[in-house]
Amino acid sequence: MVSDKIISIKKKKKRTLSSSSSPSLPILPFDLIPEILSRLPVKSLLQFRCVCKSWKSLISDSKFANKHLTLSTMHTLHCISYRHNVHVLLKSYSLDYVLTNITQTQFPSSDSNVLLVGSCNGILFLVSDGKDLVQLQLWNPSIRKFKELPPISKPHRFAGIYGFGYDPISDNYKVVVVSSDLTRGDFNKNELKLHTLGTDSWKSVSEFPFAIVYAQPLGQYVSGTINWLVFMGIKRFIASFDLGNECYREVLLPDDSGQVYKNKLSLSVLRDCLCMISGEDVWVMKEYGNKESWTKLFTISYMLDPRASSYSYIKAGYVLDEQVLLTYKEDKRWGHISYNYKDDTSKFIELENFPKVCVESLISPCF
């Protein structure tokens, strides 16, 4: 009996030592999981939805998508590819010091006449201008989510002024279309229609107070506003539409002793600031709406592309550190250049059509 007890005690002690010596798996605090996942690329997060139900629920949550957006550093360059004038796919390039990692995605719409208008928070805005209707689509290629908006009937004369952006007041996304109708007998009356995601219709906000003498019909989104470059006689300015308050204002151009107004102008966005290219000078508005905050960032070297003798038009695409994507027009040919304004070097880039830069995000256009 005594020996049996001793053997039993030794077995228990052995099991205790064995269990205590085996390494235990580390337990990750639940609060850290969103912090870690929100810093990962979208492609990885889509795969991680299969890990468990809680991860799938977290990654699919809109609050997590917004958190991920604020931390996202991945940007992609998109351009539409055509073959024999038939639209087939979207070409995407990862942005680093060179354009790399091209992917090709079948476009979700069968329409062969698509214009890539712009992007906001990972969502691309596309327009198909048909004979009688204008079709508008929102697409996040990172998560393959696609949204068809209610079509717009084309009046006899269609201005084709567009804008898309995020309204921080309503915490929603809005699409803007400005159109004009010759049958009214007044060329200067332009109707602004507004669509809010989650609704099924357009609403007329008010008359667009600027005649159809705009320089760029594709609006630039900055700080909750859509901005268009407008020419009215000898006057040049930026027409701004506030998505939250649904009102207009004029934003003045940089004052460079009148030189800005003598050059060909192009409006863009660099580092979330309005950007104006005047001739070869690149200006940025560091504080939106404040004319005094216009700052000349750099002057573009004249001979960007050795194949070109001169440039009639230059516009900016994106900024990554000191690298800027510039689109230029030389005679009837459009070209694209990656330009380093710090050391004044450039590299010609083969791209189809006009590229748009889009941050990778989990934001869905399907509200």
Side-chain angles (χ1 to χ4, degrees):
M1 293 293 293
V2 175
S3 61
D4 291 341
K5 288 183 179 179
I6 294 174
I7 292 172
S8 177
I9 292 171
K10 285 183 177 181
K11 285 183 177 180
K12 289 182 179 180
K13 186 176 182 181
K14 186 177 180 179
R15 286 198 299 266
T16 303
L17 290 173
S18 176
S19 61
S20 62
S21 61
S22 62
S24 59
L25 294 175
I27 299 176
L28 186 66
F30 182 79
D31 293 344
L32 286 182
I33 294 177
E35 297 298 323
I36 296 173
L37 294 181
S38 61
R39 288 164 170 79
L40 298 180
V42 171
K43 184 177 180 179
S44 299
L45 293 173
L46 296 181
Q47 295 172 341
F48 290 164
R49 290 182 302 182
C50 301
V51 172
C52 60
K53 290 184 178 180
S54 61
W55 280 32
K56 180 180 180 180
S57 177
L58 172 65
I59 295 171
S60 303
D61 185 72
S62 59
K63 292 182 179 179
F64 177 81
N66 290 328
K67 180 180 179 65
H68 176 270
L69 176 64
T70 62
L71 300 172
S72 180
T73 58
M74 299 290 292
H75 289 75
T76 305
L77 186 73
H78 300 288
C79 56
I80 295 175
S81 175
Y82 294 86
R83 294 175 187 168
H84 307 294
N85 296 323
V86 177
H87 168 258
V88 286
L89 45 80
L90 182 81
K91 289 189 175 180
S92 304
Y93 304 79
S94 295
L95 289 182
D96 44 31
Y97 290 97
V98 292
L99 296 177
T100 59
N101 301 333
I102 181 173
T103 60
Q104 301 187 32
T105 307
Q106 185 66 42
F107 191 70
S109 173
S110 60
D111 200 309
S112 61
N113 182 27
V114 177
L115 174 65
L116 180 53
V117 176
S119 70
C120 179
N121 293 347
I123 303 174
L124 298 177
F125 176 37
L126 306 111
V127 174
S128 302
D129 191 353
K131 182 180 179 181
D132 301 313
L133 294 175
V134 179
Q135 303 283 349
L136 305 103
Q137 303 98 17
L138 298 176
W139 184 25
N140 184 336
S142 298
I143 58 175
R144 307 293 176 89
K145 293 290 186 179
F146 181 77
K147 174 71 174 179
E148 287 270 6
L149 303 185
I152 294 179
S153 299
K154 290 183 65 175
H156 185 65
R157 174 174 176 173
F158 185 66
I161 304 177
Y162 303 104
F164 168 61
Y166 171 72
D167 172 18
I169 295 179
S170 64
D171 187 25
N172 206 336
Y173 292 83
K174 296 181 178 180
V175 177
V176 175
V177 177
V178 179
S179 63
S180 178
D181 193 342
L182 273 175
T183 58
R184 293 179 178 180
D186 190 340
F187 292 85
N188 295 329
K189 284 189 176 182
N190 308 302
E191 182 183 15
L192 187 143
K193 293 179 178 292
L194 187 70
H195 177 81
T196 302
L197 263 64
T199 63
D200 296 322
S201 61
W202 294 82
K203 74 171 184 177
S204 296
V205 177
S206 62
E207 181 181 304
F208 191 66
F210 311 106
I212 305 179
V213 285
Y214 54 89
Q216 289 179 230
L218 309 183
Q220 304 295 322
Y221 171 76
V222 173
S223 301
T225 66
I226 306 295
N227 301 268
W228 299 273
L229 183 60
V230 172
F231 293 178
M232 294 183 69
I234 61 172
K235 187 178 180 182
R236 302 182 183 188
F237 60 94
I238 297 169
S240 172
F241 178 73
D242 190 300
L243 293 174
N245 299 320
E246 299 181 359
C247 61
Y248 307 96
R249 65 178 292 191
E250 293 184 15
V251 177
L252 300 179
L253 300 182
D255 185 7
D256 190 22
S257 301
Q259 189 62 38
V260 166
Y261 297 89
K262 298 178 183 178
N263 297 322
K264 290 190 175 182
L265 305 179
S266 171
L267 185 65
S268 185
V269 176
L270 296 180
R271 296 199 185 103
D272 298 323
C273 295
L274 274 183
C275 167
M276 174 65 63
I277 297 184
S278 169
E280 286 80 37
D281 294 332
V282 178
W283 297 74
V284 292
M285 178 175 264
K286 294 187 175 181
E287 181 184 345
Y288 180 78
N290 181 5
K291 178 186 176 183
E292 304 304 321
S293 69
W294 280 110
T295 304
K296 187 183 293 187
L297 188 61
F298 60 90
T299 298
I300 304 167
S301 174
Y302 187 74
M303 291 302 294
L304 293 173
D305 184 357
R307 302 176 305 177
S309 58
S310 63
Y311 304 103
S312 61
Y313 185 77
I314 301 176
K315 62 180 181 178
Y318 72 88
V319 170
L320 182 68
D321 295 327
E322 290 83 32
Q323 297 292 122
V324 185
L325 178 67
L326 299 172
T327 298
Y328 67 90
K329 185 176 184 181
E330 190 264 332
D331 294 330
K332 295 182 179 181
R333 181 176 67 91
W334 289 94
H336 308 281
I337 288 173
S338 179
Y339 178 63
N340 189 313
Y341 63 88
K342 289 294 185 180
D343 57 16
D344 195 26
T345 58
S346 58
K347 178 182 178 182
F348 180 76
I349 299 174
E350 291 283 353
L351 292 174
E352 296 183 58
N353 299 301
F354 299 100
K356 298 293 181 182
V357 177
C358 190
V359 64
E360 291 190 2
S361 81
L362 294 166
I363 304 296
S364 173
C366 304
F367 273 53

